[in-house]
Amino acid sequence: MVSESPTLLLLNNVFIGNAASSFAPNVHSFRIWSLADSGPGSLRQAVASANAANFSPTITFEDSLAGQTITLTSGQLNIINGLTIDASALA
């Protein structure tokens, strides 16, 4: 049995894949600029930082990521803190 890595496709402000978010007021922002699964600028790092925050953060994306795919190779993202995922820069 072959298992595929979870993916998140960022296209026209629509997330395709197994991603979830809850919406909260924008207080602070973490910016995604890397397609890597982890490390600086990655979606996983931004979610980890948002989970540790004592405020309701917003995750945003560099416009250079429009139409590209972030492949989650080390498991699903666990979102435990209220956050907003704003992909408007990818439109």
Side-chain angles (χ1 to χ4, degrees), residues 12-91:
N12 297 326
N13 289 336
V14 176
F15 294 95
I16 301 170
N18 56 356
S21 69
S22 60
F23 296 95
N26 183 9
V27 176
H28 189 72
S29 176
F30 298 102
R31 193 154 190 83
I32 310 303
W33 49 265
S34 171
L35 295 174
D37 177 57
S38 61
S42 70
L43 177 61
R44 187 172 303 281
Q45 180 61 50
V47 169
S49 296
N51 284 341
N54 290 326
F55 48 82
S56 298
T58 298
I59 293 177
T60 60
F61 298 84
E62 289 286 327
D63 58 359
S64 63
L65 298 180
Q68 298 191 52
T69 301
I70 296 173
T71 302
L72 303 176
T73 58
S74 57
Q76 294 183 351
L77 297 173
N78 294 314
I79 298 173
I80 61 170
N81 199 2
L83 66 97
T84 298
I85 297 179
D86 177 4
S88 61
L90 304 176

